[in-house]
């Protein structure tokens, strides 16, 4: 755990740490394997270490101090690099000096500890508190800060980072995730050169679409899945973010993360607190695979609601019907959901709007009443029909948005974000509601609350957000427009919190024009997320691979659809690596394909606990191979599931066995190829055999893959 070596413990310390140089001037924040250490020097709190926790904590006392590595660097006094915080005081002074006042460590429970470091400007009533929440078992640290003052009038915050960390290496290798609609989370690697590298977003309603707030920094050389020193970090914020990497004159790397200060000066009133979002990080000396497993374990326990509880398989109608459906068509789809054996039917976009019916994406957003023509008996009837068939019913909403063709647009023009004296600017024919306005927050909460109150049987919501800000103007904020990006997200979180307080266990999917909104600011309110509107399984291998670095399989909704000219088996095998769903025209399938899917759904329900709660090992990267392979291993190592894919068969390629990881070398595992179409036998020589974990991790299994878009899945269980 962490420990601030404080005066109160002096007697204890003299007994055990008598040889320390200045132990009372140290703050040690540590988890089982990760440590972040500060020393207090001339009233400055300076980072002296970030890395794998040292076996002997005494060693930190010997670490040298570097004056520039401030725990939260300020602008204006001797700092020549980007500052974590830059402010203009009420009297116009643009400088800040943050000196150490006190620190405190508290054990919240067996796993979690919270360290706070209190800093203050000696010349101004301006203070910052740094928070470090350490998750011992998961090796994850969450870091954020609060800013307050008692000056005579507002202080302008220009830069207001969540965290500042330093690394010390010969060189630094960045792994980042880039994308666009339909090609989310594409992994990119580069070596950082001197100067500043910024990864940011200015999208307003969401963090990622082009760039994700997730990254790895490998020290000295590029890390692999199993080797290398690597820091993995991500910002928990559902709006504009900035990750800034700067190599200083001594080749140390400064990492500043937080809300993007772009166009966001914040006028902080006296005696009010500005709280930054959390930066979440882990550190591994064993490559990216271990970092992922740390974050996944943390996410299941703390980053997602019910992260250790089952999810529902489902049939969604979006790619089957788009807006073109009616009650009868839906009832038929309910029958098909039942026939496939999934847990739920999810009704997507197009069910609402009367005066302005939602028959395409031009109209209806904002008018959340069932369309009487399509659904004459209403939502209650659908819920009942689904329930009668023994399946659950879920529904799509996009409550933050409005089409100009809607009653809402005409009734509440002052609730809409748009620039004065300029034409309205549409994305997908819609505008963003002004969530800075508490009345709009009530309305947005009311969309979900009314549906749940009127139809308590609704078992699932898909919450979509299909546009970004382009014209950021909040009528509610009046002259204070530079707060718009921040107040929108704060307003959104207020709504999410209200939803979760009232419906703590309601399953909800986070969606944003595909995977535009996948971050740990929003995910604590959502049980799962939609990674991409691109459901072509070949592309999905890369997209899901990218997300897998920071988000656990239990939260990743992967659907089998009509997209891509590949076998049902390949589509199933790709979707089964996450949370399985379907969004396809069952009528177009051959009877044997339907039978195969029915069996696959049963298979999935059987292996899902390993996928959902197990540890992920990425074995063969599609970025480096013509194959891809990954596996999940149950925590007790009694069971594992291995997914293998052949993306592109190359002439003359000699496919080596896939070497497994994470098993117990001493245990004997029965290997079974599963998810085979009716009547097909496995061609894997190891299938049906019982082999040791040792054998499987050193020799491996021969995945029988033939032809582009082929796949094989294996279940391993201890005999
Ligand atoms: C977004 C989502 C899709 C679907 C449509 C409906 O694009 O990503 O899954 O829900 O909206 O309009």
């Amino acid at each position: 755990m962490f420990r601030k070596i404080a005066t109160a413990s002096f007697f204890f310390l003299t007994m055990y740490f008598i040889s320390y140089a200045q132990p009372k001037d140290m703050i040690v924040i540590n988890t089982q394997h990760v440590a972040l250490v500060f020393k207090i020097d001339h009233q400055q709190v300076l980072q002296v270490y970030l890395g794998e926790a040292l076996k002997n904590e005494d060693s930190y006392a010997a670490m040298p101090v570097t004056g520039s590595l401030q725990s939260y660097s300020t602008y204006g006094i001797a700092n020549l690099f980007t500052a974590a915080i830059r402010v203009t005081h009420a009297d116009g002074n643009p400088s800040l000096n943050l000196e150490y006042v006190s620190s405190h460590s508290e054990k919240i429970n067996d796993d979690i500890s919270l360290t706070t470091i209190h800093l203050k400007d000696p010349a101004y009533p301006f203070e910052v508190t740094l928070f470090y929440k350490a998750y011992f078992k998961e090796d994850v640290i969450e870091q954020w800060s609060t800013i307050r003052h008692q000056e005579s009038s507002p202080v302008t915050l220009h830069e207001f980072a969540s965290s500042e960390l330093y690394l010390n290496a010969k060189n630094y290798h960045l792994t980042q995730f880039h994308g666009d609609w339909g090609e989310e989370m594409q992994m990119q690697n580069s070596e950082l050169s001197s100067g500043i590298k910024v990864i940011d977003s200015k999208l307003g309603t969401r963090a990622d679409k082009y760039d994700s707030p997730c990254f790895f920094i490998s020290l000295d050389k590029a890390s692999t899945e199993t080797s290398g020193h690597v820091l993995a970090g991500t910002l928990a914020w559902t709006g504009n973010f900035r990750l800034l990497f700067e190599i200083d004159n001594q080749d140390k790397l400064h990492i500043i993360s937080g809300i993007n200060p772009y166009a966001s000066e914040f006028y902080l009133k006296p005696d009010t607190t500005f709280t930054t979002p959390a930066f979440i990080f882990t550190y591994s000396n064993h490559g990216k695979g271990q970092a992922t497993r740390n974050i996944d374990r943390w996410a299941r326990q703390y980053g997602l609601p019910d992260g250790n509880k089952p999810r529902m398989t489902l049939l969604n109608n979006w790619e089957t019907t788009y807006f073109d459906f009616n009650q009868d068509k839906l009832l038929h789809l309910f029958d098909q959901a039942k026939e496939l054996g999934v847990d739920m039917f999810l009704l997507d976009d197009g069910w609402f709007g009367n005066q302005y019916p939602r028959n395409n994406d031009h109209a209806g957003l904002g008018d959340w009443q069932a369309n009487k023509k399509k659904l004459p008996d209403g939502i209650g009837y659908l819920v009942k029909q689904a329930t009668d068939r023994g399946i659950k019913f879920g529904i799509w909403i996009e409550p933050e948005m409005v089409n100009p063709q809607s009653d809402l647009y005409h009734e509440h023009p002052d609730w809409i974000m748009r620039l004065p004296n300029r034409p309205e600017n549409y994305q997908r024919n819609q505008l963003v509601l002004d969530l800075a306005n508490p009345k709009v927050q009530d309305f947005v909460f009311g969309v979900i609350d009314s549906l749940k109150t009127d139809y308590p049987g609704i078992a699932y919501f898909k919450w979509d957000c299909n546009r970004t800000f382009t014209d950021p103007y909040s009528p509610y904020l009046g002259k204070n427009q530079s707060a718009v990006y921040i107040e929108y997200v704060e307003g959104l979180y207020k709504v999410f919190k209200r939803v979760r307080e009232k419906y703590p266990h309601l399953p909800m999917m986070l969606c944003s024009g595909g995977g535009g909104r996948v971050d740990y600011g929003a995910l604590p309110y959502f049980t799962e997320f939609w990674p991409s509107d691109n459901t072509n399984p070949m592309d999905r291998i890369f997209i899901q691979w990218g997300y897998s670095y920071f988000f656990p399989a239990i939260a990743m909704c992967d659907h089998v659809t009509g997209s891509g000219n590949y076998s049902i088996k390949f589509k199933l095998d790709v979707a089964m690596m996450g949370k399985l769903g379907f969004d396809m025209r069952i009528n177009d399938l051959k009877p044997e394909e339907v039978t195969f899917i029915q069996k696959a759904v049963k298979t999935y329900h059987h292996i899902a606990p390993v996928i959902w709660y197990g540890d992920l090992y990425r074995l063969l990267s599609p970025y480096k191979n013509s194959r891809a392979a990954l596996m999940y291993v149950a925590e007790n190592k009694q069971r594992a599931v291995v997914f293998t894919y052949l993306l592109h068969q190359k002439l003359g390629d000699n496919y080596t066995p896939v070497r497994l990881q994470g098993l117990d070398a001493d245990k004997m595992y029965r290997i079974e190829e599963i998810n085979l179409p009716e009547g097909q036998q496995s061609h894997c020589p190891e299938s049906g055999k019982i082999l040791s974990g040792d054998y499987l991790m050193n020799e491996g299994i021969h995945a029988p893959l033939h032809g582009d878009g082929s796949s094989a899945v294996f279940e391993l269980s201890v005999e």
Side-chain angles (χ1 to χ4, degrees), residues 248-261:
D248 70 16
N249 54 321
Q250 296 176 335
D251 298 335
K252 296 198 166 65
L253 179 66
H254 301 210
I255 304 172
I256 295 182
S257 66
I259 295 174
N260 196 345

Side-chain angles (χ1 to χ4, degrees), residues 318 323 348-349 358 396 428 462 464 466 511 513-514 530 533:
W318 177 242
F323 296 98
D348 214 284
D349 194 357
R358 181 79 170 165
W396 179 97
R428 212 191 186 209
K462 174 178 177 182
D464 213 334
N466 276 308
C511 176
W530 183 235
D533 283 343

Side-chain angles (χ1 to χ4, degrees), residues 278-573:
F279 176 66
I280 298 158
F281 68 94
T282 185
Y283 189 94
S284 151
N285 265 2
H286 308 284
K288 296 190 185 82
Q290 185 59 53
T292 289
R293 290 187 286 281
N294 294 349
I295 290 173
D296 280 358
R297 283 184 177 204
W298 171 86
R300 286 194 299 267
Q301 191 66 23
Y302 305 105
L304 293 166
D306 292 330
N308 291 311
K309 303 249 172 70
R311 300 297 191 258
M312 288 187 278
T313 53
L314 61 89
L315 176 67
N316 185 195
N317 69 310
W318 177 242
E319 292 189 32
T320 311
T321 64
Y322 294 102
F323 296 98
D324 181 21
F325 58 83
N326 57 31
Q327 197 163 282
D328 289 343
K329 260 196 197 176
L330 293 183
L331 295 189
H332 182 57
L333 291 173
F334 290 3
D335 289 334
Q336 291 183 330
K338 177 78 188 155
E339 191 190 348
L340 295 185
V342 295
D343 303 311
M344 182 185 54
F345 176 81
L346 170 61
L347 174 58
D348 214 284
D349 194 357
W351 59 268
F352 48 89
N354 282 297
Q355 171 90 346
Y356 301 95
R358 181 79 170 165
N359 292 329
N360 51 51
D361 60 19
H362 286 260
L365 272 184
D367 302 346
W368 299 102
Q369 301 80 34
N371 178 278
K372 294 202 170 90
K373 213 160 151 208
K374 284 184 192 170
L375 307 175
D377 297 315
I379 299 297
Y381 176 77
L382 294 179
V383 175
K384 180 163 187 322
Q385 288 296 317
T387 312
D388 287 351
R389 286 165 173 78
I391 54 168
K392 305 267 188 210
F393 177 83
I395 199 163
W396 179 97
I397 51 172
E398 193 183 359
E400 296 157 73
M401 301 286 162
V402 61
N403 285 129
Q405 293 188 50
S406 68
D407 290 332
L408 182 71
Y409 176 91
H410 297 289
E411 282 162 20
H412 294 287
D414 56 323
W415 284 8
I416 298 168
M417 305 244 294
R418 53 192 158 180
L419 290 164
N421 308 316
R422 307 221 180 266
E424 287 178 352
N425 190 344
Y426 307 124
Q427 272 178 12
R428 212 191 186 209
N429 315 300
Q430 66 197 51
L431 295 162
V432 186
L433 293 178
D434 180 8
L435 263 177
N437 184 341
K439 287 197 181 125
V440 175
Q441 293 165 20
D442 290 344
F443 169 81
V444 173
F445 171 72
V447 172
I448 204 162
D449 191 39
S450 311
L451 281 163
K452 259 313 262 181
T453 306
D454 295 346
Y455 315 109
I458 296 180
Y460 184 95
F461 283 85
K462 174 178 177 182
W463 183 308
D464 213 334
C465 164
N466 276 308
R467 78 159 285 176
T468 56
F469 286 9
T470 46
D471 305 69
Y473 186 92
S474 151
Y476 180 77
L477 291 174
K479 292 217 163 86
N480 187 21
Q481 289 303 319
S482 64
V484 67
Y485 288 109
I486 295 172
E487 293 295 354
Y488 185 89
V489 180
E490 293 292 357
L492 183 67
Y493 288 160
K494 281 183 191 150
V495 176
F496 287 167
K497 274 191 191 112
R498 281 169 76 180
V499 172
R500 274 298 162 213
E501 268 159 28
K502 191 152 178 194
Y503 308 105
H505 300 292
L506 178 65
M508 294 210 291
M509 184 205 284
L510 178 60
C511 176
S512 184
R517 212 181 231 180
V518 187
D519 61 80
Y520 284 113
L523 276 172
Y525 306 101
F526 289 83
T527 48
E528 50 222 69
F529 67 88
W530 183 235
S532 178
D533 283 343
N534 182 347
T535 52
N536 179 309
M538 196 60 85
D539 297 342
R540 268 296 186 124
I541 289 177
F542 288 89
I543 293 170
Q544 294 170 194
W545 191 269
Y547 282 110
S548 83
Y549 283 93
F550 282 85
F551 302 98
I554 192 167
M556 201 188 314
C557 300
D558 299 329
H559 293 181
V560 178
T561 74
S563 175
N565 192 18
Y566 298 100
S567 68
I568 290 288
K569 158 136 180 89
F570 185 60
K571 292 180 176 185
L572 278 164
D573 287 353

